[in-house]
Amino acid sequence: MSKTTKVFTFFVFLLLVLLPALVVSECNCTCNKEDEVVGDKARAFRYKFAAIASILFASVIGVLIPVIGKFVSFLSPDRDFFFFIKAFAAGVILSTGFIHVLPDAFENLKSPCLSEHPWADFPFTGFVAMCAAMGTLMVDAFATAYFKKVHMIEEQTGHEGHVHLHHTHATNNGHAHGSSDSSQLLRHRVISQVLEVGIIVHSVIIGIGLGASEDAKHIKPLVAALTFHQFFEGMGLGSCIAQAKFKNNATVIMGLFFALTTPVGIGIGMAISSRYEENSQKALIIEGIFNAASAGILIYMALVDLLAADFTTERFQNSTYLQLGANISLLLGAGLMSALAYWD
């Protein structure tokens, strides 16, 4: 396992441990729910287990479809069909940020329960999303530069002591081409890891929210919506992982983290349901900030690292077929994911 994969694994594990502890609190909100529903706990419990199974299955299938491109020729990253899958996935991720996550953050941080908070009148949701997007840009740039330097040092060390007497020109051209490919590969690896962090933050939060709920009528439509939601998000993440060409162990770890986060979040929510109060000030602030940050990350990644990176390539701009197919795929992905907001 590489050093970056270990750091990524540690970060995600820390997130899964700390986030539930942050949102658990006693109810200290003076808001009264006007239409509070006493849920059928037994039925809600069954729906939660159904959600764990269906979301886990859909997540695995979604992330696997692009990843198996190395074994299935028409799903290879070099094919036009993969380009369309990636555009569709980018639309899904963009819609997730704008339509699903950002409105939840506004709802959390503009709750009447926080009306007496010192910064209640400040547009904190937009501010956090903006900071998260700028932070993602900085991490993106610094991480890419760092890994390029590390790769160059390793390459220079590996070539020390070797004397090339023949085919000098061909070797130099091959080296330049190899360096370009290596830089692109490193870029894809940074993109896939940053994107997964943004998705995982959102997935844990929605999992905890579903697991802590005792309202069967609220949970039932969410099971179908979140199943499709995770399937489409899995396709987006899987396309990035496929282009990053990680080793098999790292690919499995990233896929498992994505597939397990929402089911684990549901399990955590079920465990803390007796102490979790979704309208407490602490829960609203923590969830709102994490949702806003997640939205900023997802929106940045979709627009800059997924869409702009592909739509500005020479291959895309020289092919009317690719332009038409990719734009239709983008609109289809964004449209389908936006439609799921009806059941959210």
Side-chain angles (χ1 to χ4, degrees), residues 12 14 27 120 131 155 174 177 185 234 236 252 271 279 302:
V12 173
L14 201 63
C27 180
C131 290
E155 200 171 55
H177 180 68
L185 188 62
V252 170
N279 286 307

Side-chain angles (χ1 to χ4, degrees), residues 314-331:
E314 186 176 349
R315 175 189 172 192
F316 179 84
Q317 294 179 349
N318 290 337
S319 173
T320 304
Y321 168 71
L322 267 185
Q323 292 176 18
L324 183 63
N327 279 292
I328 291 174
S329 299
L330 170 64
L331 293 172

Side-chain angles (χ1 to χ4, degrees), residues 21-292:
L22 289 172
V23 298
V24 172
S25 63
E26 298 299 327
C27 180
N28 57 4
C29 174
T30 57
C31 287
N32 293 319
K33 288 183 177 180
E34 295 180 3
D35 301 313
E36 187 166 0
V37 179
V38 179
D40 181 349
K41 291 188 177 182
R43 196 151 55 99
F45 190 75
R46 291 195 299 271
Y47 286 150
K48 290 173 190 178
F49 270 100
I52 290 174
S54 62
I55 289 171
L56 180 61
F57 178 76
S59 300
V60 171
I61 297 299
V63 81
L64 272 181
I65 287 175
V67 170
I68 60 175
K70 62 174 72 175
F71 307 109
V72 182
S73 58
F74 78 92
L75 288 176
S76 169
D78 298 326
R79 297 297 184 94
D80 290 346
F81 186 69
F82 183 86
F83 208 102
F84 299 152
I85 288 178
K86 194 174 178 185
F88 177 88
V92 167
I93 291 169
L94 191 62
S95 175
T96 299
F98 274 120
I99 307 298
H100 293 262
V101 188
L102 199 57
D104 286 347
F106 274 108
E107 185 178 345
N108 291 141
L109 296 178
K110 285 297 181 181
S111 169
C113 296
L114 300 177
S115 59
E116 297 180 0
H117 201 277
W119 45 262
D121 295 327
F122 183 75
F124 217 79
T125 306
F127 177 75
V128 172
M130 177 187 69
C131 290
M134 292 190 298
T136 305
L137 169 65
M138 294 173 189
V139 170
D140 210 353
F142 285 128
T144 303
Y146 170 76
F147 288 125
K148 279 184 180 178
K149 289 178 182 177
V150 170
H151 179 72
M152 287 176 63
I153 292 171
E154 289 176 350
E155 200 171 55
Q156 289 172 2
T157 304
H159 286 314
E160 281 180 3
H162 293 275
V163 179
H164 303 282
L165 298 177
H166 305 289
H167 309 295
T168 305
H169 181 68
T171 303
N172 285 340
N173 284 341
H175 180 267
H177 180 68
S179 297
S180 175
D181 287 346
S182 297
S183 297
Q184 193 65 22
L185 188 62
L186 289 171
R187 176 89 180 130
H188 286 311
R189 290 184 175 181
V190 171
I191 289 171
S192 61
Q193 291 180 337
V194 175
L195 177 62
E196 178 148 18
V197 169
I199 291 174
I200 282 176
V201 169
H202 168 57
S203 297
V204 173
I205 290 173
I206 61 176
I208 291 175
L210 189 150
S213 175
E214 299 291 352
D215 185 1
K217 291 181 180 179
H218 172 71
I219 295 172
K220 187 177 180 179
L222 276 181
V223 175
L226 291 179
T227 298
F228 284 105
H229 180 282
Q230 292 301 105
F231 174 76
F232 291 140
E233 270 195 349
M235 289 181 65
L237 180 61
S239 65
C240 292
I241 293 174
Q243 284 190 303
K245 297 180 181 177
F246 287 106
K247 292 181 179 178
N248 290 338
N249 288 345
T251 300
V252 170
I253 288 171
M254 293 187 71
L256 280 177
F257 267 130
F258 167 74
L260 291 173
T261 44
T262 302
V264 168
I266 294 172
I268 292 171
M270 292 168 69
I272 65 174
S273 59
S274 61
R275 291 179 294 157
Y276 176 80
E277 174 52 54
E278 63 179 1
N279 286 307
S280 69
Q281 288 192 358
K282 186 177 180 181
L284 287 168
I285 292 171
I286 296 298
E287 288 182 20
I289 289 174
F290 272 97
N291 273 328

